[in-house]
Amino acid sequence: MNKQSEHLSKKQIEELQTNFIAWYQKKRRNLPWRQSRDPYFIWISEIMLQQTRVETVIAYFYRFTEKYPTIEALAKSDEQELLKVWEGLGYYSRARNLKKAAQQIMTEFGGVFPNEIEAIRSLKGIGPYTAGAIASIAFQRAEPAIDGNAMRVISRLYGIDADIAKPASRNVFDAVLRQLIPVEAPGDFNQALMDLGSGVCTPKKPVCTNCPLKNFCFAYQTQQQDRFPVKTKAAKPKDVYYFSVAITNEIGEYLLVQRPDEGLLAKMWTFPLVEVNREVFEAAQKNFAKEETLNLFSVAEELTLPANLPQNVVWQKRHLGEIRHIFSHLKWHVLLFYGVAQPDFVKPLKGHFVPFNEFSNYVFPKPQQKLVELLEKSKR
């Protein structure tokens, strides 16, 4: 499992720490949340950075902290407004958990962000990595912040062949990092790991000549960079199929429905979605072929409509196209249809008709944003 740990003496570890911190001080990325050690800003940034690139997060961080500059402001936020500010970042449970954790801080910690690791971990939505990052950066606690970047760097540095896809492997990296983290600069050390993993010790083609740890690195010394880290492939996302229906009323407003209070994309707004099997989906693709000569007003009177579409709607002769969207465990295939509601159309309980120019007032998940773009293209 560990090819080299016994070869790093205490003196070598101290030299590694000194070189690494010096490299970080010189090469560190200039990011807005690094301008202070305020735990609130570090917390917000770390939650945003989960599953999201730094370049994307910067604008969201500014917008979010301008609207919610304090823990108290976040705790008192309106959920729909909060989700609107978060719109586009995805994984919306992160935003909901931020509010719940802010409320926890107000009620359980007197409005002051806790500084002990166990207390930090007790907050909603904060796992071991985020807790370690906040504790080390904001409060200078010698706690590891173990994410993919850290495991990649450490696996190459020490020649660790523990499978990083397995949760149990985290204990291996935790033990190694606790030997490496300097007590006088744990925050800088963890942030150095973040920067090294994202810009130098990358998954493919690491730039080893620029690495401050190359003289200590097992993978570099043995030219086995491609062997580490060991990671089994994740399960392929499950394919699911939907018809999305853009239904207008007599004055051109579109029907939007709010998703259930719990589950994927909870409380967000979309066109009505009808789940179908693959065979029905592919049949609709074929029978409602997208023909460029048709427009929104070509009616499907002579075609057999898929039975899954809502009733009492005059449907357009073709679908408007397909969008695909991958969640961590699901791959959505969505075919967009357009229709006009008839007088006897029954509106869903959690739905209402909305003018197109008021869509910006509603929280749309990414798949809905893609569907709106398809609809706009067909109106041109």
Side-chain angles (χ1 to χ4, degrees):
M1 179 191 68
N2 188 328
K3 309 294 185 185
Q4 198 206 13
S5 59
E6 64 270 20
H7 301 302
L8 281 183
S9 65
K10 181 179 179 182
K11 182 178 179 181
Q12 286 176 310
I13 289 175
E14 290 174 352
E15 184 182 352
L16 180 152
Q17 292 170 336
T18 300
N19 291 354
F20 201 23
I21 297 300
W23 174 85
Y24 174 70
Q25 294 294 347
K26 183 178 180 180
K27 299 289 188 177
R28 61 182 286 176
R29 289 176 290 180
N30 182 24
L31 301 171
W33 46 88
R34 289 183 174 175
Q35 306 310 309
S36 79
R37 287 185 174 171
D38 187 324
Y40 175 68
F41 295 128
I42 294 167
W43 171 41
I44 299 303
S45 70
E46 288 297 339
I47 297 298
M48 286 185 168
L49 287 164
Q50 295 170 8
Q51 309 291 333
T52 310
R53 294 177 61 85
V54 169
E55 296 79 5
T56 301
V57 165
I58 292 174
Y60 280 93
F61 176 81
Y62 280 126
R63 185 158 62 246
F64 191 98
T65 53
E66 181 179 358
K67 187 169 181 65
Y68 307 114
T70 64
I71 294 170
E72 182 178 9
L74 178 56
K76 293 179 177 178
S77 64
D78 174 79
E79 183 172 311
Q80 286 296 302
E81 290 183 5
L82 174 65
L83 293 176
K84 190 66 182 176
V85 173
W86 196 269
E87 187 178 62
L89 275 177
Y91 299 93
Y92 290 87
S93 60
R94 294 183 294 173
R96 296 187 182 93
N97 286 338
L98 280 172
K99 178 179 178 177
K100 291 175 183 176
Q103 292 171 332
Q104 267 184 275
I105 295 171
M106 296 304 297
T107 57
E108 298 175 22
F109 300 99
V112 178
F113 204 102
N115 60 15
E116 297 293 339
I117 188 69
E118 291 306 320
I120 296 172
R121 287 195 62 175
S122 73
L123 300 175
K124 184 73 172 177
I126 292 186
Y129 165 77
T130 305
I134 297 169
S136 62
I137 300 168
F139 303 114
Q140 295 302 292
R141 308 285 189 194
E143 292 289 337
I146 304 172
D147 65 352
N149 283 330
M151 288 192 285
R152 183 168 58 256
V153 172
I154 299 304
S155 68
R156 287 172 175 165
L157 179 65
Y158 278 89
I160 296 173
D161 56 12
D163 185 353
I164 67 172
K166 295 181 178 179
S169 296
R170 188 185 183 281
N171 295 330
V172 176
F173 292 96
D174 184 276
V176 172
L177 278 166
R178 288 188 185 279
Q179 298 175 20
L180 287 180
I181 297 176
V183 294
E184 67 276 7
D188 283 357
F189 187 89
N190 281 336
Q191 290 177 103
L193 279 178
M194 298 173 193
D195 286 6
L196 189 73
S198 64
V200 177
C201 193
T202 51
K204 297 180 180 178
K205 297 182 180 180
V207 192
C208 296
T209 53
N210 294 345
C211 180
L213 306 182
K214 64 185 177 185
N215 293 335
F216 308 94
C217 181
F218 175 83
Y220 176 68
Q221 298 295 337
T222 60
Q223 292 298 292
Q224 297 186 73
Q225 296 95 322
D226 292 343
R227 183 184 167 194
F228 301 101
V230 173
K231 183 180 181 181
T232 54
K233 290 186 178 180
K236 184 180 178 182
K238 177 185 176 183
D239 290 297
V240 288
Y241 300 87
Y242 292 98
F243 294 157
S244 174
V245 289
I247 300 173
T248 60
N249 60 13
E250 69 279 2
I251 59 174
E253 297 172 324
Y254 287 87
L255 179 63
L256 296 179
V257 294
Q258 190 173 33
R259 290 180 63 83
D261 292 348
E262 302 291 335
L264 185 64
L265 308 179
K267 298 183 180 179
M268 304 183 75
W269 294 84
T270 67
F271 295 141
L273 290 167
V274 180
E275 186 170 0
V276 297
N277 61 37
R278 180 175 177 176
E279 290 70 27
V280 171
F281 185 88
E282 291 178 346
Q285 279 181 311
K286 180 180 179 181
N287 294 332
F288 280 70
K290 187 173 181 182
E291 302 173 28
E292 297 300 331
T293 56
L294 302 177
N295 58 45
L296 284 181
F297 305 103
S298 299
V299 177
E301 62 235 354
E302 73 278 17
L303 289 177
T304 302
L305 295 169
N308 311 67
L309 292 179
Q311 301 300 305
N312 302 319
V313 176
V314 176
W315 295 105
Q316 178 204 340
K317 196 171 183 178
R318 62 171 172 85
H319 62 74
L320 304 186
E322 178 186 350
I323 66 103
R324 297 176 184 178
H325 188 79
I326 299 177
F327 298 94
S328 57
H329 59 301
L330 297 172
K331 182 176 182 180
W332 278 19
H333 303 257
V334 187
L335 206 58
L336 179 61
F337 290 87
Y338 171 85
V340 179
Q342 298 304 287
D344 51 354
F345 174 76
V346 179
K347 186 175 64 175
L349 287 176
K350 278 196 167 184
H352 55 263
F353 285 96
V354 178
F356 190 87
N357 61 7
E358 292 183 13
F359 277 10
S360 60
N361 297 331
Y362 292 79
V363 183
F364 286 172
K366 193 65 176 179
Q368 174 66 14
Q369 294 175 30
K370 294 178 181 179
L371 291 166
V372 171
E373 289 175 6
L374 268 185
L375 180 64
E376 286 186 297
K377 285 180 183 177
S378 10
K379 293 170 66 178
R380 291 172 187 164

